[in-house]
Every structure is written in structure tokens, then in C-alpha cells.
Amino acid sequence: MSYDTLRLDTDARGVATLTLNRPDKHNALSAQMIDELTQAAGRLAADDAVRVVVLTGAGASFCAGGDLGWMRDQMAADSATRAAGARALAGMLGALDSLPKPLIGRIQGQAFGGGIGMMSVCDVAVGVSGARFGLTETRLGLIPATIGPYVVARMGGAMARRVFMSSRRFDAEEAVALGLLARAVEGHALDAAVEAEVAPYLSCAPRAVAAAKRLTRELGPVIDAAAVEHSVRALVACWEDAEAAEGISAFFERRAPTWAVD
């Protein structure tokens, strides 16, 4: 199976590399990419030859968040369409989160919004020093809703409050402190750092690894259908608030929104 927005390669050891492949768009999440990521997660889950999955991005950015075209579509959409889009994103994150293989994030550049959500569903993520990150939704009058269950599960509530509401950008070293990254390394050392995370799994029993991962999810914060639906409703409510219309209009018009104070 081929993809338009992704690359999927598997080496002789059974290490699959899933690459977000819209470098000219900073790997922003379009509806097509969300759908293809969901398909790829299902394919990887079913492939017994795959032992480990590495998630990364092509180009300078890991993932810049939501695609601008997607945001324009959401502005014009009704509540049901907005909810369907949010559920598609939630389904993709859930498919990656529940992948019965270790998922290693190779975070080679910046990540915002939905990119933070994808980092949060990795079992471990290694990033480059100098990269910038942020949950920037509130600048647009929105909230990090659909990704929220995974972000809060990864960071913990107290740590999440440091960055969840402020839209403040932070560096790779703070991402480590927040629990979002396991390590931050120089760019030349990234592949070696990722390999150090991958290699131990190749000596482990695959079904035992899958069972151990499933147990960590069962023992950790519960992200069930009710939690996902709650996040969807919260996002739709924000889309229908006048703040979102103002924030997104200001973004496209390259001006400050009415609430911004110099």
C-alpha cells in the first residue's frame, strides 16, 4: 500500500519507520494525512514481521499542527462536520496509542498542536536540541481538546498546566522536564539515540512486549470512548464561540486578535 502524505519503510530486523511526508507544509495534519496515519497504524498492528515502529517527519519540522486548509474548512463547517473531524483525529491518535508494538518518536524538528499529540502517544520520544514546541491553540481562540487526553496522560496534570493553556513555546530541554521527550540530543546524535531505544526490543519476545504495553495502558490514565467524546464536544463548543472566529480570522489576516495586549 502506498500513501500520499506518508512514507513507510521496514528494514530486515523488523523496524518500521513511519515518516510524515509533507515537508513543504511542515508536516501539518490534513484530513488525508489523518486518514492515512490511521490506515498505517492498522497495517503495522497486523504485521507480525514488524517488531518496532519509529515515527518521524521529513524536512525541518516534525509536525506543525493542523493544516491551514483544514482550519478554513472547519471555520465554514457545521457542528456535525466539526465533530466528525475531531473524531477522526482522535481515532488516529487512539490507533497509534494502542499500537501493539513499541512506538519510538524520532522528533527531528519543531512540533505544535497536533504534533504534540503525536509525540504524546509515543512510548518514548527523542528530540533534537534547539527544536521548539508548543500547544498554541488558545492563541486562536481554541483549546488542545482532542489531543488533550494523551497530552495530560503523558505530562501529568501539574506539568500540563504549565503549557496547556498559555500557548507558550518551549524548548527541547523543557520538553524533557515536562516528560514529553525522554532526551534531547544534538542533531548529529539523533539517529544513534533512537537506535539505543530501538535495539533492546529486538531481544524481547514480541507478544510479551505487546502484553506489557497493553498493561501499562490499562494501569495508567483511562482514555476511553467517553473521554474522547468529551474532548470532541469541548472542541466543537470552542469552534462555535466568537473567540475562535476572531482568532482564526486574525491569523489568516496576519493581525493581532482583539484580545491581544502589547
Side-chain angles (χ1 to χ4, degrees):
M1 180 184 294
S2 62
Y3 303 100
D4 293 330
T5 68
L6 308 173
R7 291 201 314 266
L8 179 57
D9 305 288
T10 304
D11 70 17
R13 303 176 301 167
V15 178
T17 300
L18 180 59
T19 304
L20 310 180
N21 194 30
R22 301 181 74 212
D24 57 323
K25 302 295 185 182
H26 294 275
N27 297 319
L29 288 165
S30 64
Q32 182 179 10
M33 180 181 275
I34 290 168
D35 181 59
E36 290 187 352
L37 279 165
T38 305
Q39 292 178 42
R43 177 180 174 184
L44 290 163
D47 189 344
D48 290 339
V50 172
R51 303 282 299 273
V52 184
V53 179
V54 175
L55 177 64
T56 191
S61 300
F62 173 66
C63 177
D67 179 78
L68 296 182
W70 178 84
M71 284 203 291
R72 285 193 179 99
D73 290 344
Q74 292 296 92
M75 284 182 70
D78 58 21
S79 295
T81 302
R82 288 168 174 164
R87 289 191 189 99
L89 175 58
M92 178 269 285
L93 292 169
L96 290 173
D97 185 57
S98 61
L99 190 70
K101 328 271 179 164
L103 181 62
I104 312 300
R106 178 187 178 275
I107 314 304
Q108 88 293 353
Q110 66 181 359
F112 301 102
I116 300 293
M118 284 196 290
M119 291 171 63
S120 296
V121 299
C122 291
D123 298 307
V124 62
V126 180
V128 291
S129 297
R132 304 288 288 176
F133 305 94
L135 294 152
T136 53
E137 287 86 347
T138 56
R139 284 181 179 267
L140 300 175
L142 296 170
I143 57 175
T146 312
I147 66 173
Y150 303 98
V151 173
V152 174
R154 169 51 59 90
M155 294 186 188
M159 287 295 190
R161 289 187 184 207
R162 292 171 54 176
V163 294
F164 201 76
M165 303 91 78
S166 67
S167 287
R168 177 174 64 81
R169 297 189 180 198
F170 51 93
D171 61 20
E173 288 65 35
E174 186 170 2
V176 172
L178 292 167
L180 190 60
L181 290 177
R183 281 193 286 164
V185 300
E186 296 299 321
H188 66 83
L190 181 60
D191 287 336
V194 170
E195 178 60 25
E197 299 294 343
V198 168
Y201 288 108
L202 302 179
S203 300
C204 297
R207 289 196 298 276
V209 169
K213 179 171 179 175
R214 184 170 61 251
L215 183 61
T216 65
R217 295 178 61 246
E218 292 168 350
L219 295 175
V222 176
I223 304 174
D224 57 12
V228 169
E229 191 59 26
H230 179 72
S231 73
V232 168
R233 290 195 301 270
L235 182 59
V236 171
C238 277
W239 273 106
E240 295 178 347
D241 189 281
E243 279 190 345
E246 166 61 14
I248 293 168
S249 294
F251 176 80
F252 283 121
E253 293 165 11
R254 299 186 178 183
R255 61 173 175 83
T258 55
W259 58 75
V261 178
D262 293 332

